[in-house]
Amino acid sequence: MLITDVEVEGYGRVDVRLGAGRVVGIGRPGARRGDVDGRGGALLVGLHDHHVHLAALAAEAASVRVGPAEAGDRGGLVGALRSGPPGEWVRAVGYHESVAGELDRWVLDDFAPDRPVRVQHRSGALWVWNSAALRAAGLEGGGHGGDGGDGRFWREDERLRGFTPPVRLDLRGVGARAAAYGITGFTNADPHPGQDLPELLSVLPQRLVVMGIGDAPVKFLLDDATLATPGGLAASVAAVRPRPVAVHCVTRVQLLVTLLALDEAGPVAGDRIEHGSVIPAETMPWLARLGVTVVTQPHFPVERGREYATDVDPDDQAHLYRCRSLAEAGIPLAAGTDAPYGSADPWAVMRAAVERSGGEAVDRRAALDLFAGEPQRPSRVKRLAVGSIADLCLLHVPLKEALDLMSADVVRATFVGGRRITPPE
């Protein structure tokens, strides 16, 4: 394939030839007509979403969103749960307590008594079922183990999966929308992936890294209520070496335990902190010394600012989802959307990173680079060069204009291994 008249960083306006899945030539524009006329737009390396939950994202097509932005308040939530034919299962996602307070089976019974309802918290960690859902699934007791609880299931997705009707997964839609964003690869960050997950996700046109499968990082999911000791976590980390680990850290104590564990077990290339929701300033030299990469979500303080203002401890407010300060401290940094628990649009994440307050904003090029890293080494930014893999994103406009706009509207075409995965014009 020949892509003519494109702007390539370091080369200017050039023609780019692709072959056998790689870039095989970059040179001055010639007289030959290309397969794709770049029209002076920038040709970039493809974007990689370094933290996403693909099956959950694909299930959104069969779900109703009930977060603060969609449901708004109690009346909006009730209306959403009661929509659709009586008796049909309702799968609601994105809930936060600011909509209608704490949920349990009896609250949901009052909201929607005539159908099985299950509501997922915005964090992805909690499902709440109403009594009709528990009866339909044979879990009348509710709670942990179905033994007389309140319909609240904390991190029990694996167990619950066999008790609900199959959910249609719109993976082709996920792949098409991601291609329109310029995404050429995903790192799926589920903590306990089934061995069949890579096959399920294989319909996606993007490249895949699935945590816990093959040589991908092993995901460790931490919760304060069940948090291991540093020595216990270190033993678990050592047991999977030489593979890298990706440790879910959303609280101050989870981060401290992880750093102590990595000190004891010894870090390896590719170790990651997922989220790094709260990173106190005094821990940054420690992170830099370990060389562990932080894969953050700089859009969360923007998307969830109102809720964070009341939900997050005042002592932690200044340390939320650091971005610029991590980079300045020499800590390897990358970003993931965490979709569907955050926006799936990486350009929206970039805009948020640029617009952050409190000294955490990064410049526009640095924001783009958060999604331009290698799949296995997220902070190592890819550059388009002869011999590089032809995972590419062609823009309508030159790079400077694209960075000014910082919008998915600038994406014209996306290529994986030299094959176009966006529809032809």
Side-chain angles (χ1 to χ4, degrees), residues 16 38 52 58 102 137 142 144 148 177 181 189 199 205 233 255 309 336 379 391 395:
V16 176
V52 64
E102 294 282 351
H144 292 276
R177 288 187 291 275
Y181 294 142
E199 182 178 357
L233 181 58
L255 178 68
S379 66
D391 294 353
L395 306 185

Side-chain angles (χ1 to χ4, degrees), residues 375-387:
Q376 296 283 16
R377 299 296 295 273
S379 66
R380 183 179 293 172
V381 176
K382 300 173 291 183
R383 298 297 183 207
L384 199 161
V386 174

Side-chain angles (χ1 to χ4, degrees), residues 192-259:
H192 304 293
Q195 291 299 313
D196 60 343
L197 184 60
E199 182 178 357
L200 175 70
L201 300 178
S202 65
V203 301
L204 294 166
Q206 287 82 9
R207 298 186 190 273
L208 294 171
V209 175
V210 179
M211 286 186 183
I213 303 292
D215 60 355
V218 178
K219 178 80 175 283
F220 283 82
L221 182 63
L222 306 185
D223 285 312
D224 285 359
T226 57
L227 193 58
T229 65
L233 181 58
S236 297
V237 170
V240 303
R241 292 304 197 208
R243 294 174 67 184
V245 296
V247 188
H248 166 104
C249 291
V250 297
T251 66
R252 183 186 296 246
V253 67
Q254 289 171 19
L255 178 68
L256 293 174
V257 167
T258 298
L259 295 179

Side-chain angles (χ1 to χ4, degrees), residues 274-363:
E274 304 302 311
H275 309 300
S277 306
V278 180
I279 300 181
E282 60 268 22
T283 66
M284 290 198 288
W286 197 353
L287 278 164
R289 176 173 58 80
L290 288 170
V292 61
T293 298
V294 175
V295 179
T296 187
Q297 286 74 46
H299 53 313
F300 278 4
V302 176
E303 292 182 359
R304 306 176 177 184
R306 186 181 67 177
E307 293 83 17
Y308 282 173
T310 56
D311 293 354
V312 175
D313 188 298
D315 289 341
D316 290 338
Q317 294 280 350
H319 310 302
L320 284 173
Y321 290 96
R322 290 182 179 274
C323 203
R324 180 176 179 173
S325 59
L326 295 181
E328 290 179 342
I331 296 164
L333 186 65
T337 65
D338 200 25
Y341 311 115
S343 170
D345 179 357
W347 297 90
V349 179
M350 295 177 214
R351 286 197 303 274
V354 168
E355 295 167 1
R356 287 286 300 276
S357 59
E360 290 300 332
V362 299
D363 66 41

Side-chain angles (χ1 to χ4, degrees), residues 112-162:
D114 65 339
R115 69 201 65 205
V117 170
R118 53 187 176 126
V119 179
Q120 187 184 44
H121 191 268
R122 183 175 66 182
S123 66
L126 174 69
W127 282 98
V128 186
W129 292 30
N130 72 350
S131 295
L134 294 167
R135 285 193 298 270
L139 295 171
E140 177 62 29
H144 292 276
D147 57 356
D150 54 9
R152 293 166 61 89
F153 297 90
W154 180 263
R155 297 209 188 280
E156 293 197 65
D157 291 61
E158 284 186 279
R159 183 171 78 88
L160 296 177
R161 198 167 292 129

